[in-house]
Amino acid sequence: MREEPAGTDDLGVDITIPSVSRMYDHYLGGKDNYAVDREAVAALERRLPGSRVLAHDNRSFLRRVVRTLARDYGIRQFIDHGSGLPTQDNVHQIAQRVDAGARVVYIDNDPIVLAHGRALLEDTRSAVVAADIRDTDTIFASPEVSRLIDLSQPVAMLFVSVMHCLPDASDPAALVRRAMTRVPSGSVMVLNQLVSHHAETRDFVTGFMDHCTRGNWGRVREPAEVAAYFAGYDVLEPGLVEINSWRPDSELCCRPRGGGPWFEYGGAARKP
């Protein structure tokens, strides 16, 4: 069993508070997490069995959508909002298997994410920007975005499993609109988040995560609320769906969970 510091790690992070990105890392079998993160995951799993599966489903969706945009739509530029801790098959690795010249900027404000991400990105076609995803001005004024992103060409704007981390007070819909005004026609927005048809589930998960992260959380929403983010955009086939239904690799995998208390919902849409 590994020893862990009692209060802060060597980056000055308070590790007595669970982190969404570190919880996600634990779900995916990563090592960049602490006991407090693993305990929060276990508590959530006891109340809602199968929550670990959602993290793997989300990672699979990210792989498919990035590969599809690079291969079938010719997208060569990606901005990943709230990228989280690096794991297998990061966005730049997926896109660069299609075209080695693909460029990716990751956005996050978690110190551990930033430290690990910068250590990972040794090539000159990818970078990490230390910014809150809500701060569009800072993101687009950064040297990394200026160096890597050509705003005369389409950009894939990724908001993958991050919007539920933003409270209504942050107006996540306005964030999306603001970010999309910075990129040209033909750019693609990819967005999904945790949703539930059941008020009890929405309220429980929202309350649980808000409490354990001490306010670093948003809200589990309804599918119709997510659909509203896509108003005015040309939604790509197969539309807005439970993400396992989004262009599955085969009929034998990535089937919708169906009937579960909560799931990831969203899709991809082109800016007219």
Side-chain angles (χ1 to χ4, degrees):
M1 181 178 295
R2 62 186 173 186
E3 295 183 1
E4 296 173 351
T8 60
D9 68 358
D10 56 5
L11 295 173
V13 177
D14 185 347
I15 60 170
T16 66
I17 303 173
S19 155
V20 175
S21 61
R22 296 195 312 262
M23 289 174 67
Y24 186 58
D25 177 70
H26 177 54
Y27 274 130
L28 295 177
K31 299 179 180 179
D32 297 309
N33 53 78
Y34 298 97
V36 67
D37 308 303
R38 299 189 288 274
E39 289 164 4
V41 165
L44 188 58
E45 186 73 16
R46 284 194 296 271
R47 177 62 184 266
L48 289 173
S51 57
R52 183 182 303 274
V53 173
L54 296 179
H56 287 272
D57 289 348
N58 184 70
R59 199 70 192 178
S60 179
F61 168 70
L62 177 67
R63 293 188 189 103
R64 296 196 312 277
V65 75
V66 170
R67 184 180 66 224
T68 297
L69 294 181
R71 183 190 62 201
D72 301 342
Y73 292 88
I75 300 292
R76 296 294 180 264
Q77 308 182 105
F78 298 80
I79 300 180
D80 187 0
H81 295 77
S83 54
L85 284 158
T87 184
Q88 292 182 345
D89 265 359
N90 294 283
V91 173
H92 71 285
Q93 294 164 324
I94 302 165
Q96 288 171 5
R97 281 200 289 270
V98 177
D99 185 329
R103 302 179 301 283
V104 178
V105 176
Y106 297 97
I107 313 297
D108 214 297
N109 61 357
D110 185 313
I112 295 180
V113 171
L114 299 172
H116 285 272
R118 285 168 176 156
L120 174 75
L121 299 175
E122 298 178 350
D123 69 85
T124 59
R125 297 178 302 280
S126 305
V128 179
V129 173
D132 189 304
I133 65 170
R134 293 167 286 197
D135 193 351
T136 303
D137 289 341
T138 294
I139 292 169
F140 280 86
S142 69
E144 294 88 350
V145 169
S146 297
R147 175 173 67 87
L148 291 171
I149 304 299
D150 177 358
L151 293 176
S152 70
Q153 299 297 318
V155 182
M157 300 285 276
L158 308 181
F159 300 91
V160 175
S161 200
V162 70
M163 305 309 285
H164 47 249
C165 297
L166 299 180
D168 291 343
S170 294
D171 199 348
L175 154 66
V176 171
R177 290 193 300 269
R178 188 166 62 246
M180 292 302 294
T181 64
R182 300 300 188 97
V183 294
S185 174
S187 294
V188 176
M189 177 180 74
V190 178
L191 186 151
N192 63 288
Q193 82 142 83
L194 289 166
V195 300
S196 178
H197 293 298
H198 310 291
E200 181 181 359
T201 298
R202 294 194 300 271
D203 292 345
F204 167 73
V205 177
T206 297
F208 175 90
M209 290 299 297
D210 186 69
H211 174 75
C212 78
T213 64
R214 300 185 194 176
N216 293 311
W217 181 252
R219 183 163 65 87
V220 177
R221 295 182 170 89
E222 297 180 71
E225 294 179 275
V226 177
Y229 296 138
F230 290 84
Y233 296 94
D234 300 325
V235 179
L236 305 182
E237 292 294 334
L240 303 181
V241 293
E242 183 179 345
I243 58 173
N244 275 6
S245 299
W246 201 94
R247 306 196 185 194
D249 292 323
S250 77
E251 294 183 358
L252 300 178
C253 73
C254 305
R255 292 179 177 176
R257 299 296 166 193
W262 60 331
F263 54 96
E264 289 268 8
Y265 178 81
R270 197 196 305 262
K271 180 179 177 179

